[in-house]
Coordinates of all heavy atoms in Angstrom, one line a residue:
P296 N 34.6 63.9 45.2 CA 33.8 62.7 45.4 C 34.2 61.9 46.6 O 33.4 61.4 47.3 CB 34.1 61.9 44.1 CG 34.5 62.9 43.1 CD 35.1 64.1 43.8
E297 N 35.6 61.8 46.8 CA 36.0 61.0 48.0 C 35.5 61.7 49.3 O 35.2 60.9 50.3 CB 37.6 60.9 48.0 CG 38.2 60.1 46.9 CD 38.3 60.8 45.6 OE1 37.9 61.9 45.5 OE2 38.9 60.2 44.7
I298 N 35.5 63.0 49.4 CA 35.1 63.7 50.6 C 33.6 63.5 50.8 O 33.1 63.2 51.9 CB 35.5 65.2 50.5 CG1 37.0 65.3 50.6 CG2 34.8 66.0 51.7 CD1 37.5 66.7 50.4
K299 N 32.9 63.6 49.7 CA 31.4 63.4 49.8 C 31.1 62.0 50.2 O 30.2 61.8 51.0 CB 30.8 63.7 48.4 CG 30.6 65.2 48.2 CD 30.2 65.6 46.8 CE 28.8 65.3 46.5 NZ 28.4 65.6 45.1
A300 N 31.8 61.0 49.6 CA 31.6 59.6 50.0 C 31.8 59.3 51.5 O 31.0 58.7 52.1 CB 32.4 58.7 49.1
V301 N 32.9 59.9 52.0 CA 33.2 59.7 53.4 C 32.1 60.3 54.3 O 31.6 59.7 55.2 CB 34.6 60.3 53.8 CG1 34.7 60.4 55.3 CG2 35.7 59.4 53.2
A302 N 31.7 61.5 53.9 CA 30.7 62.3 54.6 C 29.3 61.5 54.6 O 28.7 61.3 55.7 CB 30.4 63.7 54.0
K303 N 29.0 61.0 53.4 CA 27.7 60.2 53.3 C 27.8 59.0 54.2 O 26.8 58.7 54.9 CB 27.5 59.8 51.9 CG 26.1 59.3 51.6 CD 25.9 59.1 50.1 CE 24.6 58.4 49.9 NZ 24.5 57.8 48.6
E304 N 28.9 58.3 54.1 CA 29.0 57.0 54.9 C 28.9 57.3 56.4 O 28.3 56.5 57.1 CB 30.3 56.3 54.5 CG 30.3 54.9 54.9 CD 31.7 54.3 54.9 OE1 32.5 54.8 54.0 OE2 32.0 53.4 55.7
L305 N 29.5 58.3 56.8 CA 29.6 58.6 58.3 C 28.4 59.5 58.7 O 28.4 59.9 59.9 CB 30.9 59.2 58.7 CG 32.2 58.4 58.3 CD1 33.4 59.2 58.7 CD2 32.1 57.1 59.0
R306 N 27.6 59.9 57.8 CA 26.5 60.8 58.1 C 26.9 62.1 58.8 O 26.4 62.5 59.8 CB 25.4 60.1 59.0 CG 24.8 58.9 58.3 CD 23.9 58.2 59.2 NE 23.4 57.0 58.6 CZ 22.3 56.4 58.8 NH1 21.4 57.0 59.6 NH2 22.0 55.3 58.2
I307 N 28.0 62.7 58.2 CA 28.4 64.0 58.6 C 28.5 64.8 57.3 O 28.2 64.3 56.2 CB 29.8 63.9 59.3 CG1 30.9 63.3 58.3 CG2 29.8 63.2 60.6 CD1 32.3 63.2 58.9
T308 N 28.8 66.1 57.5 CA 28.8 67.0 56.3 C 30.2 66.9 55.6 O 31.2 66.5 56.3 CB 28.5 68.4 56.6 OG1 29.6 68.9 57.4 CG2 27.2 68.6 57.4
P309 N 30.3 67.2 54.4 CA 31.7 67.2 53.7 C 32.7 68.2 54.5 O 33.8 67.8 54.7 CB 31.4 67.7 52.3 CG 30.0 67.3 52.0 CD 29.3 67.4 53.4
A310 N 32.2 69.3 55.0 CA 33.1 70.2 55.8 C 33.6 69.5 57.0 O 34.7 69.6 57.4 CB 32.3 71.5 56.1
Q311 N 32.7 68.8 57.7 CA 33.1 68.1 58.9 C 34.1 67.0 58.6 O 35.0 66.7 59.4 CB 31.9 67.5 59.6 CG 31.0 68.6 60.3 CD 29.6 68.1 60.7 OE1 29.1 67.1 60.2 NE2 29.0 68.8 61.6
A312 N 33.9 66.3 57.4 CA 34.9 65.3 57.0 C 36.3 65.9 56.8 O 37.3 65.3 57.3 CB 34.4 64.6 55.8
V313 N 36.3 67.0 56.2 CA 37.6 67.7 55.9 C 38.3 68.2 57.2 O 39.5 68.0 57.4 CB 37.4 68.9 54.9 CG1 38.7 69.6 54.7 CG2 36.9 68.4 53.6
I314 N 37.5 68.8 58.0 CA 38.0 69.4 59.3 C 38.5 68.3 60.2 O 39.6 68.4 60.8 CB 37.0 70.3 59.9 CG1 36.7 71.6 59.0 CG2 37.4 70.8 61.3 CD1 35.5 72.4 59.4
S315 N 37.7 67.2 60.2 CA 38.2 66.0 61.0 C 39.5 65.4 60.5 O 40.4 65.1 61.2 CB 37.1 64.9 61.0 OG 35.9 65.5 61.5
W316 N 39.6 65.3 59.1 CA 40.8 64.8 58.5 C 42.0 65.6 59.0 O 43.0 65.1 59.3 CB 40.6 64.9 57.0 CG 41.8 64.7 56.1 CD1 42.6 63.6 56.0 CD2 42.4 65.7 55.3 NE1 43.6 63.8 55.1 CE2 43.5 65.1 54.7 CE3 42.1 67.0 55.0 CZ2 44.4 65.7 53.8 CZ3 42.9 67.7 54.1 CH2 44.0 67.1 53.5
H317 N 41.8 67.0 59.0 CA 43.0 67.8 59.4 C 43.4 67.5 60.9 O 44.6 67.3 61.1 CB 42.6 69.3 59.4 CG 42.6 69.9 58.0 ND1 43.7 70.1 57.3 CD2 41.6 70.4 57.3 CE1 43.4 70.7 56.2 NE2 42.1 70.9 56.1
V318 N 42.4 67.4 61.8 CA 42.8 67.1 63.2 C 43.5 65.7 63.3 O 44.5 65.5 64.0 CB 41.6 67.2 64.1 CG1 42.0 66.9 65.6 CG2 41.0 68.6 64.0
Q319 N 42.9 64.8 62.5 CA 43.4 63.4 62.5 C 44.9 63.3 61.9 O 45.6 62.4 62.2 CB 42.5 62.5 61.7 CG 42.6 61.0 62.2 CD 41.3 60.3 61.8 OE1 40.2 60.8 61.7 NE2 41.5 59.0 61.6

Side-chain angles (χ1 to χ4, degrees):
E297 289 84 353
I298 292 172
K299 281 170 75 179
V301 166
K303 192 173 172 202
E304 197 193 329
L305 302 179
R306 296 178 188 208
I307 57 177
T308 67
Q311 288 167 341
V313 174
I314 293 166
S315 302
W316 166 67
H317 281 293
V318 180
Q319 207 159 329

